[in-house]
Amino acid sequence: MKKILYALFSLLMLVACDENVKDAKQETAQPDIYPDYIGVTIPVNIAPLNFCMADETASCIDAVITDRHGNTLHSQGEESLDFDIDDWQTLLGQNRGDSVSVTVSAKYDDGWHTYRPFSIYVSPDSIDYGICYRLIEPGYEVWSKMGIYERDLSSFDERALIENTQFEGCVNCHSFNRGNPADMSLHIRGPHGATLLRQKNGPLTAYNTKTDKTLGLCVYPYWHPSGRYIAYSTNTTRQLFHSAHPNRIEVFDEASDLQVYDVEKNELLLSPLLKQDSIFETYPVFSADGRSLYFCAARSPLSFGEGKEVGLLDSIRYNLCRIDFDPETGTFGDSIETIIDAAHASLSSGEGTREGLSISFPRPSYDGRFLCYTLSDYGQFSIWHHEADLYLLDLSTRESRPMTEANSEDTESFHNWSTNSRWMVFSSRRDDGLFTRPYFCHVDAKGNVTKAFMLPQRNPRRFYRDRFLSFNVPDFIIGPTRFDGHKASALINDEYRKDIGVRK
């Protein structure tokens, strides 16, 4: 019904604005559009890049897309363009590995204006079926309605996997094995707390992941490529407000350790090197070959006494570290290697060099070539840090550089790779400084990064203006999750939790 109503609405808008572009003033500048899709590189299977004029005073917008073969695609609307999905997909398929040219005209009080054309490059590298994310109000200590959702990237279809209106609590930490929803981990907080696990498309099971030998519940999951193991951290986390600071709030750990869950034996694998009281270990991820565990680690401040938090927080800086892992025996190496000493090293940026920094959210590409991470001034919860940027580490040379082409003047934070290691989705606050929204960029085999583009919507201005929610923890999926939210909520509301053990 919603699709029918929206189609009727779109038809009315087209009728209201259906006119020829004539006697237009020819502008030398390219159009100022929202979202900014000028000069972007896109997947061949992405949904239509509908856009509006950024200034909102135009009474009509018109666009003609042409290619070098003489094919054209036209759309006109009163508020936003609305390209036909089938025609759009056909045009992209005809121009795989080539560029198309977009000519935009806009009607104002003084008549039509036609702008200098811009190009969009259609990459031969396709993108995964969709992304999965949490939608949450941009709150602080408290939260209201939230849920986990999936979106088909070749269309505008979105559906809820589960929402917290079905139970009392918070949903977060959703994770899949290399984008395959057959292996899934989902964490529930609150009075019905649990970790829900699905393995090889089997039934969901609710686990209690707290043991008497570990700090707390398992969070921040990352699957081993074999599907047998899941790396988790366990964190004692706090939040506080700044009295006067552009970052508004800090989320920080008072303690944190790492552990690996053996799915087959239902037990946690521990190492004394990964649970040191003097070190905060967090954000574990397996390497592409499954034989290394990357993570972030910082020295613990001496205390977190009353009134001392603010003075100590900006001294907590996380480095990128690595430890060997043997998937055949489920054992760890006997030493930790520091890959990037961000707390002491000088790292290049678009503004020169930056010193005394902190790394969070390491994510290795699935082809084993690169590792992307977020760099901020301090701490490990970079989503609240406006200075946070994405950096790319070449794992073969150990050279690291800022992803300047994709970064902005505001927050870039949580990110994940597509399964072919050519696309990245990440969270950014560049749109308005408050809401995090998903952006995509292409990374080729040599590490060249393209300009980022926002997740397409049918009417982007209306969608992002009316939806007062942040997109949180976006991750790629290779197909529909086929997640039954009703069965999951029944499982959550049930008191039973399966306990896990610890390997002796």
Side-chain angles (χ1 to χ4, degrees):
M1 179 60 72
K2 287 183 178 179
K3 290 183 178 180
I4 295 174
L5 291 174
Y6 194 91
L8 291 172
F9 173 80
S10 299
L11 180 60
L12 289 172
M13 290 298 99
L14 286 172
V15 170
C17 189
D18 187 15
E19 58 179 282
N20 294 325
V21 177
K22 59 183 180 179
D23 299 325
K25 179 182 178 182
Q26 301 298 311
E27 303 287 353
T28 58
Q30 291 179 327
D32 186 11
I33 59 175
Y34 176 83
D36 178 10
Y37 291 139
I38 295 176
V40 297
T41 295
I42 62 173
V44 68
N45 55 332
I46 197 69
L49 300 189
N50 295 334
F51 58 84
C52 320
M53 294 304 292
D55 61 10
E56 301 189 47
T57 61
S59 60
C60 191
I61 180 173
D62 181 282
V64 178
I65 304 179
T66 60
D67 65 13
R68 66 182 70 220
H69 311 293
N71 301 306
T72 64
L73 180 61
H74 176 250
S75 180
Q76 189 180 96
E78 193 170 73
E79 181 180 28
S80 172
L81 300 173
D82 190 7
F83 293 105
D84 180 85
I85 291 183
D86 292 336
D87 292 342
W88 170 269
Q89 296 290 358
T90 298
L91 184 69
L92 295 195
Q94 293 169 335
N95 291 277
R96 188 171 190 150
D98 204 348
S99 294
V100 295
S101 178
V102 185
T103 301
V104 175
S105 300
K107 187 178 183 181
Y108 294 92
D109 290 342
D110 63 347
W112 283 98
H113 295 248
T114 297
Y115 298 88
R116 182 162 58 90
F118 64 88
S119 295
I120 294 176
Y121 179 72
V122 184
S123 171
D125 298 319
S126 61
I127 204 166
D128 290 326
Y129 158 81
I131 57 173
C132 188
Y133 44 82
R134 181 171 67 159
L135 288 177
I136 185 172
E137 294 175 354
Y140 306 111
E141 300 274 359
V142 297
W143 37 262
S144 181
K145 180 184 175 181
M146 67 173 71
I148 306 294
Y149 302 80
E150 67 177 43
R151 161 71 188 268
D152 181 347
L153 289 177
S154 64
S155 71
F156 302 108
D157 294 339
E158 178 190 80
R159 82 172 188 95
L161 275 61
I162 189 168
E163 297 174 316
N164 69 338
T165 54
Q166 300 167 264
F167 61 94
E168 183 183 358
C170 163
V171 289
N172 64 357
C173 292
H174 55 278
S175 177
F176 312 96
N177 185 7
R178 296 191 175 209
N180 189 344
D183 291 331
M184 179 179 181
S185 175
L186 175 64
H187 188 59
I188 309 297
R189 290 181 180 173
H192 301 282
T195 294
L196 304 185
L197 286 184
R198 180 171 71 183
Q199 303 152 38
K200 299 179 181 179
N201 270 331
L204 277 175
T205 303
Y207 287 83
N208 168 30
T209 57
K210 174 70 174 71
T211 76
D212 58 2
K213 291 186 171 57
T214 52
L215 183 64
L217 297 171
C218 292
V219 295
Y220 302 145
Y222 193 93
W223 288 79
H224 190 271
S226 68
R228 176 174 175 175
Y229 305 101
I230 310 173
Y232 289 101
S233 67
T234 177
N235 307 61
T236 302
T237 304
R238 289 186 58 189
Q239 298 184 67
L240 59 82
F241 284 100
H242 288 292
S243 58
H245 195 286
N247 287 336
R248 298 190 184 93
I249 191 174
E250 290 297 339
V251 180
F252 61 95
D253 290 336
E254 289 184 332
S256 58
D257 295 325
L258 302 184
Q259 51 216 17
V260 170
Y261 176 60
D262 187 331
V263 173
E264 293 183 4
K265 296 187 176 181
N266 187 37
E267 59 186 14
L268 293 175
L269 314 180
L270 308 180
S271 166
L273 294 176
L274 301 177
K275 54 192 312 292
Q276 302 179 59
D277 292 340
S278 61
I279 302 293
F280 293 164
E281 305 96 350
T282 191
Y283 299 138
V285 292
F286 286 108
S287 59
D289 62 7
R291 295 194 168 275
S292 295
L293 187 70
Y294 292 100
F295 59 97
C296 299
R299 290 200 170 275
S300 169
L302 296 177
S303 67
F304 279 91
E306 189 69 28
K308 297 181 180 179
E309 289 92 340
V310 175
L312 292 171
L313 286 181
D314 60 7
S315 68
I316 302 176
R317 296 184 172 91
Y318 287 78
N319 295 326
L320 177 64
C321 300
R322 187 197 69 85
I323 190 171
D324 289 335
F325 180 76
D326 186 344
E328 282 75 34
T329 61
T331 56
F332 301 93
D334 56 8
S335 64
I336 291 175
E337 178 187 8
T338 299
I339 303 297
I340 300 178
D341 185 357
H344 301 96
S346 296
L347 294 172
S348 63
S349 70
E351 301 175 353
T353 58
R354 300 171 67 186
E355 298 180 357
L357 301 170
S358 189
I359 290 176
S360 57
F361 303 130
R363 282 294 187 274
S365 59
Y366 298 123
D367 61 4
R369 185 74 173 80
F370 303 104
L371 183 145
C372 181
Y373 60 90
T374 303
L375 196 69
S376 56
D377 286 347
Y378 61 91
Q380 48 81 32
F381 214 79
S382 51
I383 194 64
W384 290 111
H385 283 236
H386 293 281
E387 80 282 358
D389 280 331
L390 298 179
Y391 276 65
L392 192 67
L393 170 66
D394 187 324
L395 290 173
S396 63
T397 64
R398 296 289 181 95
E399 294 180 353
S400 188
R401 74 170 186 88
M403 295 175 62
T404 306
E405 304 85 349
N407 288 328
S408 71
E409 294 182 357
D410 215 306
T411 307
E412 271 71 56
S413 188
F414 192 89
H415 48 275
N416 271 308
W417 292 88
S418 63
T419 54
N420 62 5
S421 299
R422 294 282 76 89
W423 298 97
M424 188 172 293
V425 59
F426 61 92
S427 300
S428 178
R429 293 190 192 273
R430 70 183 67 189
D431 195 29
D432 56 19
L434 179 61
F435 293 92
T436 52
R437 284 160 183 157
Y439 281 75
F440 301 85
C441 67
H442 184 265
V443 183
D444 70 14
K446 296 181 179 180
N448 297 310
V449 180
T450 62
K451 177 181 175 179
F453 66 93
M454 185 189 285
L455 174 66
Q457 305 294 346
R458 191 178 294 276
N459 185 322
R461 177 180 293 134
R462 183 166 300 181
F463 180 92
Y464 288 115
R465 177 175 291 170
D466 293 349
R467 179 175 270 191
F468 293 101
L469 297 170
S470 282
F471 289 76
N472 184 251
V473 192
D475 195 3
F476 286 102
I477 47 176
I478 61 174
T481 58
R482 309 196 187 283
F483 185 89
D484 191 326
H486 297 291
K487 288 184 178 179
S489 62
L491 196 64
I492 294 168
N493 286 314
D494 190 283
E495 294 183 359
Y496 173 75
R497 299 291 182 265
K498 185 175 181 177
D499 291 326
I500 60 177
V502 175
R503 180 175 298 182
K504 294 182 180 179

